[in-house]
Amino acid sequence: MGFLQKWATQNFGEAEIVFNVRPRRQVQASKRLLNHQLMASRGAFQLNVILVLALAATALSTLSPYYYEHVCPEALPTIKRVVEAAVYNERRMGASLLRLHFHDCFVNGCDASLLLDSTSTIDSEKNSRANQNSTRGFEVIDQIKIEVDKICGRPVFSCADILAVAARDSVVALGGPSWMVPLGRRDSTTASRTQADRDLPSPFMDLPALIENFKRQGLDERDLVALSGGHTLGFAQCIAFKDRIYSETNIDDDFAEERRKTCPRNGGDTNLAPLDPSPARFDTAYFSNLVEEEGLLHSDQALFNGGSTDELVKAYSENARAFSADFAKSMVKMGNIKVLTGEQGQIRLNCRNVIN
């Protein structure tokens, strides 16, 4: 053993000798090991880069409340201003704008297909049974699109996102909860009246049919009851509840008699009645009415008729905070149905027409 090795053994032990005083063969082996480690590290780094890029691509194809924050920060305040003015001018418009978002999302996802007018190649969803002479507020959406594109300097805000934000702002304008609206939807290039006839829930559905209808959209019973609570706002046409007030038995007699005054057995099909006693205020009266068998539509009262949703209806009737929280959650969930993102679809210049 040489002097240096003896000194190292005395001061640092055998482990340090191997590190500090290695034979040539050990040095070469260490170099080979180091090269292998460097190659492995380089491979791991490349894999991490690939994973990061993949995650970034995924992030770009998902919705975010901050999607327009940098490209057009004034878009959301602009939508809010137009919606508030429209609701101030006509309180019923808030319910109409909320309904547009709902009827859009239930037909092949939240893609603004409902807004498209009929053409030689498009059979507009506006002509479906549930929408014809019923959905309204299209002119307000047109106005929002014009104002937003003006403030943004170019058409970057999709019509599908306008529907989602306008629905939220309408609820807030009528005293309801607010929520962060995930954004980044793109607009469809087609529409389907046939699909609208098939997928939109009917006011004549019973509970099993409603549960199945919502299930096809990825929504559960809590979503069904919470979103049905949107009927705390707005009106329904006589034709939608005529059979209920004249033929059904699970209905309060005084309530039925009151509704018959403006909804005759024959005629008057387009006459309106409020869906709950405070149709321009977001509250829990809708659910309280159901408990008292005063639901206007057959599909409303089906939620409280001895079935699996009775307890939730009763809970909402007694707890406004719980209803508001669940309504907001379900609106976000509904707004995520089959969205178009990334390079899918388009950003329309006019919400009524596809860009060719």
Side-chain angles (χ1 to χ4, degrees), residues 11-31:
N11 288 277
F12 299 103
E14 290 295 335
E16 292 297 330
I17 293 173
V18 173
F19 178 78
N20 290 298
V21 191
R22 291 177 293 181
R24 182 179 301 171
R25 187 177 300 169
Q26 289 177 320
V27 171
Q28 291 172 341
S30 296
K31 286 181 178 179

Side-chain angles (χ1 to χ4, degrees), residues 5-286:
Q5 191 170 357
K6 287 181 181 179
W7 178 84
T9 302
Q10 292 171 355
N11 288 277
F12 299 103
E14 290 295 335
E16 292 297 330
I17 293 173
V18 173
F19 178 78
N20 290 298
V21 191
R22 291 177 293 181
R24 182 179 301 171
R25 187 177 300 169
Q26 289 177 320
V27 171
Q28 291 172 341
S30 296
K31 286 181 178 179
R32 286 196 298 271
L33 177 60
L34 180 60
N35 285 335
H36 283 302
Q37 289 174 332
L38 288 172
M39 290 175 66
S41 297
R42 189 179 296 115
F45 174 76
Q46 290 171 340
L47 178 59
N48 285 335
V49 170
I50 292 171
L51 289 173
V52 168
L53 291 175
L55 289 171
T58 301
L60 288 174
S61 66
T62 57
L63 304 183
S64 166
Y66 310 105
Y67 186 83
Y68 298 99
E69 190 170 74
H70 298 294
V71 296
C72 190
E74 291 303 311
L76 294 181
T78 300
I79 296 174
K80 185 172 186 283
R81 174 175 54 78
V82 177
V83 168
E84 287 178 342
V87 173
Y88 179 81
N89 186 57
E90 182 194 6
R91 301 283 284 177
R92 182 187 170 200
M93 186 54 68
S96 298
L97 294 174
L98 172 61
R99 189 165 179 248
L100 284 182
H101 183 42
F102 181 95
H103 279 222
D104 177 47
C105 289
F106 264 59
V107 184
N108 203 35
C110 308
D111 59 1
S113 58
L114 173 60
L115 304 180
L116 291 173
D117 288 339
S118 290
T119 67
S120 59
T121 58
I122 293 177
D123 191 2
S124 178
E125 293 167 21
K126 296 175 182 178
N127 297 326
S128 68
R129 289 189 299 270
N131 291 325
Q132 192 171 37
N133 301 318
S134 176
T135 48
R136 57 197 299 274
F138 298 107
E139 295 78 10
V140 176
I141 300 300
D142 292 338
Q143 184 184 356
I144 291 173
K145 178 64 173 170
I146 291 171
E147 294 294 328
V148 167
D149 285 355
K150 184 189 302 181
I151 201 73
C152 295
R154 60 197 189 284
V156 294
F157 208 104
S158 71
C159 299
D161 279 346
I162 286 174
L163 284 175
V165 175
R168 187 273 310 276
D169 290 348
S170 294
V171 169
V172 173
L174 294 173
S178 184
W179 59 91
M180 297 287 279
V181 179
L183 300 168
R185 301 167 189 80
R186 287 171 66 85
D187 302 325
S188 70
T189 56
T190 187
S192 174
R193 178 179 62 84
T194 301
Q195 194 168 346
D197 282 335
R198 184 182 69 237
D199 291 345
L200 289 172
S202 160
F204 311 110
M205 282 182 171
D206 57 17
L207 184 59
L210 288 168
I211 291 174
E212 178 58 29
N213 180 276
F214 274 64
K215 183 179 179 181
R216 288 200 302 268
Q217 303 292 347
L219 302 172
D220 58 27
E221 289 188 30
R222 183 172 291 272
D223 299 316
L224 164 62
V225 178
L227 292 173
S228 294
H231 283 181
T232 183
L233 305 173
F235 294 77
Q237 294 184 4
C238 170
I239 193 172
F241 59 86
K242 183 175 293 189
D243 287 345
R244 171 158 168 73
I245 62 175
Y246 285 101
S247 304
E248 297 183 5
T249 57
N250 61 339
I251 186 169
D252 179 81
D253 290 338
D254 292 337
F255 174 75
E257 185 61 33
E258 182 64 26
R259 294 280 69 84
R260 290 171 188 160
K261 293 178 181 178
T262 55
C263 184
R265 190 182 291 272
N266 297 306
D269 288 351
T270 59
N271 292 350
L272 298 175
L275 285 159
D276 86 350
S278 51
R281 186 172 69 248
F282 193 97
D283 55 25
T284 60
Y286 168 78

